[in-house]
Amino acid sequence: MLCATGLLLTDLVTDYARTRLTPLDRAGEVIDACFAELDAQADAWFAAEGVAAPARRLRRSIDMRYAGQNYELSVDLPGETGPDRLTALKAAFEAEHRRMYGYVAEEEPVQLVTFRIQATGIVPKSTLADHPPASGPVDAAVTGTRDVWLPEAGGWTGVTLYNRARLGPGHRIAGPAIVEQMDSTTLILPGQTARVDAFLNLLIEEAA
């Protein structure tokens, strides 16, 4: 259920990347070419997913490093164009390098390694409706008992069984107990209490 709920509350996201090792001072045309390819891929994905133009979001970034380093830092692509963009890229890289490692190497050449786009399609979010309080007693959800081996109770113990579908907001169950439903079984240990909230979640707490 949580997986399905997550799908209903999450935007569509995918990533595209191109690796092309390029010195920063000669990267102007390479940046344009790589992001043109990535933009085309993102546009095709948006179209295939049926994402309308107002709901499309793109985040462009470049993995950068000093020449000879074995690791890169991700830097968002600045909005500037032309030579100003390369200056802004270097400044952003140095700021991130200082934040991560405490220093910058001003004389070292900077390389661009991987060009990335994260494409996000904003989708309408499902709303979770709460439920009215349960109209009957929690005992109406009891379906029987079962002997269960519980070390917490010192051995075999008679445990009350509950049908999850019959539980409603406000119902409380003291452990030991078992709540059964079609796709899962919930064990409530001795010393625990389960409470059903307004969204039918089963909240288990240690008894005070």
Side-chain angles (χ1 to χ4, degrees), residues 24 62 64 66 73-80 84-100 104 110:
L24 174 63
I62 303 175
M64 303 173 63
Y66 287 121
L73 296 174
S74 179
V75 176
D76 285 341
L77 182 69
E80 292 86 349
D84 290 342
R85 181 167 59 185
L86 300 184
T87 300
L89 264 177
K90 183 177 182 181
F93 169 72
E94 289 179 341
E96 181 64 6
H97 200 280
R98 185 184 300 278
R99 186 186 72 83
M100 288 291 294
V104 296
V110 177

Side-chain angles (χ1 to χ4, degrees), residues 8 19 41 44 55 67 73 89 119 126 142 147 164 169 186 197 200:
L8 295 174
T19 296
Q41 283 188 283
L73 296 174
L89 264 177
S126 175
V142 173
D147 288 337
R164 176 71 181 271
T186 304
D197 71 5
L200 300 183

